[in-house]
Amino acid sequence: MEKFKSYFKNERAILFFAWLLIVILTLTQRLIAGVFDFNQFNLSDILKFPFSVLLIGTILLFIWVVPGFKFIIAIKANWKYLLFLIHSLVYSFAYLFFVIILYGTLIEQLNINWIRGQVKDVFANGFHTILQNYIFLISILFAFNYFKSREQTNLAKNKIENELLKVKHNALKAKLQPHFLFNTLNSIVALIEENKNKAQKSLINLSDLLRYSMDIKPKKLISINEEIDLLKKYLSIEKSRYEDQIDVEWVFTELKGKNEKFEVPAMILQPIVENSIKHGFKNIDYKLKLVIEINLINKSVRIKNNGQSLLKKLRTNTGLQLVKQRLEYHFEDNAQFKIYQKDNWVINDINFT
């Protein structure tokens, strides 16, 4: 099947099948005419004319029609249409001449008077048919050339878009890793002076997170469960630092057996949690509560904290800018991220659908 499809990616193969169709129609026409003229019905003679048409037409396709079309179509000047007119006339006269010669030879009637009669009959009744066949073949070539050109343009466009996506991804990745590493190391440095054992465990979790962040591939999404495991590693680092000053609550909304596949960009939630903790602790003297709600039904995540209220003029920091850029990179306009104040809660909503 694939081999058969490959034939239709070659203009010569397409033209041959088209010409074969013309020959079959010619043969059918002569057979029907022969049935109504049964007294002079001669199958051998009837087959000789379609054979002549098939052979001469195929030869002209390969040595004149296709090469001539490619030569003319490459010309940018307007007078190339004059060349198509000349090309069609040469094809028509050559086709007429060689078909008459071959057919006359096969039926053993080749003489000057017979040739004159055939030429007169063609110009009186059938020369337009030869031109119609030429136009039919050239139309196929134009259509093939158009679709092939469009396919090549789409391939080139897709290649450029993929390259741009890789560049954009690498740029985002280059921003993500230093930003994440710098902020997390600050947390561990602060912890070293207080508890070396906890600092050591935090370094192990940090190395796991860094190893994962370095392996992030373009367009790669991970399951929400993997993202939760990564987020828990990060939270364990922050919990080691803040101990009882922070309380983390996980809330899951799901339907057993009816949850669709839920995938997110790797480490997309970490900057949001980091921002919630960093800004939530400002100017408060009570325990910070962080609630992470995972909705497996609607494919959404809500991260809220009861820390410092949002400023009237909200400034989006580097971490949250990366979140927005990565969501746009992976989902374009299909994903939404917003941060707002509701009562005593600062809420971050991400909808992945």
Side-chain angles (χ1 to χ4, degrees), residues 46-61:
I46 289 175
L47 293 175
K48 287 174 183 177
F49 181 74
F51 172 77
S52 303
V53 170
L54 177 63
L55 181 61
I56 300 302
T58 303
I59 293 172
L60 287 175
L61 280 178

Side-chain angles (χ1 to χ4, degrees), residues 65-81 83-84 87 138 141-142 145-146 149:
V65 176
V66 175
F69 174 83
K70 289 184 176 181
F71 173 77
I72 298 173
I73 205 70
I75 297 174
K76 302 299 182 182
N78 291 331
W79 52 272
K80 67 181 179 182
Y81 299 107
L83 290 179
F84 271 118
H87 187 248
I138 289 296
L141 283 174
F142 268 111
N145 189 66
Y146 168 76
S149 175

Side-chain angles (χ1 to χ4, degrees), residues 198-305:
K198 288 184 178 180
Q200 185 177 12
K201 291 180 181 179
S202 295
L203 281 172
I204 293 173
N205 285 327
L206 175 59
S207 66
D208 291 339
L209 290 171
L210 280 177
R211 191 180 305 112
Y212 204 97
S213 70
M214 293 178 69
D215 289 336
I216 296 175
K217 299 294 189 301
K219 288 197 172 181
K220 180 183 178 182
L221 300 176
I222 64 173
S223 70
I224 190 64
N225 290 331
E226 290 180 84
E227 178 69 5
I228 290 170
D229 289 340
L230 292 171
L231 192 56
K232 285 181 177 179
K233 287 181 182 292
Y234 172 74
L235 281 170
S236 68
I237 297 173
E238 296 292 9
K239 284 280 287 183
S240 297
R241 178 183 176 186
Y242 292 105
E243 294 184 339
D244 295 333
Q245 298 178 58
I246 183 172
D247 184 27
V248 179
E249 179 183 350
W250 292 86
V251 178
F252 292 91
T253 304
E254 58 183 323
L255 289 174
K256 290 185 178 180
K258 293 186 179 181
N259 299 306
E260 297 183 7
K261 188 177 182 181
F262 188 0
E263 292 184 327
V264 300
M267 299 183 68
I268 193 71
L269 301 180
Q270 182 273 330
I272 301 174
V273 171
E274 177 188 329
N275 185 72
S276 298
I277 295 173
K278 180 180 177 181
H279 295 281
F281 268 120
K282 285 184 178 180
N283 303 320
I284 66 169
D285 55 2
Y286 52 86
K287 179 186 288 190
L288 178 70
K289 184 167 185 178
L290 186 67
V291 180
I292 303 172
E293 301 175 2
I294 310 293
N295 192 316
L296 299 174
I297 303 172
N298 298 329
K299 295 184 180 179
S300 62
V301 176
R302 171 173 289 178
I303 299 171
K304 62 182 184 179
N305 71 85

